[in-house]
Amino acid sequence: MKKMLFLVLLSLAGGFVVRQLLQGEQRERLAHLPATVMAKCMEICMEMLPEDSPPKVFVSSMSRLQEQIEQLLALQQERNDLLRERLPAQEA
């Protein structure tokens, strides 16, 4: 009888632990949901705005700035590579 009671309690405890772990995984998946929903709502709102509205102008200028920054970084990397190639020749 004691053995049977122990097994029942053990199985209930195991079930509780499994349930908590599964709920934890679901919580992690759902934690990103509000940010995703807000981003989608913001995207829809931005599409509804006129082309010359300040938020749209700001967002478009930010994307252009990002492109320019990437171009500058590529040029800087190319310059550094050229300087590294010339440096050993100058030392010799």
Side-chain angles (χ1 to χ4, degrees):
M1 182 70 175
K2 289 182 183 181
K3 191 174 188 179
M4 183 66 135
L5 182 62
F6 178 74
L7 289 175
V8 169
L9 289 175
L10 187 62
S11 64
L12 285 174
F16 178 75
V17 169
V18 168
R19 192 177 109 201
Q20 290 298 320
L21 289 174
L22 289 176
Q23 285 179 352
E25 290 176 7
Q26 289 174 348
R27 276 188 221 127
E28 289 176 17
R29 280 184 279 176
L30 293 177
H32 301 291
L33 186 62
T36 306
V37 170
M38 287 181 11
K40 187 64 176 170
C41 287
M42 183 58 77
E43 186 178 314
I44 291 170
C45 289
M46 290 294 282
E47 288 174 1
M48 292 175 15
L49 289 173
E51 289 299 319
D52 60 345
S53 66
K56 266 196 171 179
V57 171
F58 176 76
V59 170
S60 66
S61 65
M62 290 300 290
S63 62
R64 279 184 276 146
L65 280 174
Q66 182 65 33
E67 290 171 6
Q68 290 175 351
I69 289 171
E70 290 172 2
Q71 290 173 351
L72 287 172
L73 287 173
L75 289 171
Q76 184 69 29
Q77 183 65 40
E78 184 179 335
R79 179 179 169 261
N80 287 343
D81 291 342
L82 288 172
L83 287 174
R84 284 189 191 105
E85 288 174 9
R86 291 182 184 173
L87 184 62
Q90 289 176 356
E91 290 178 356

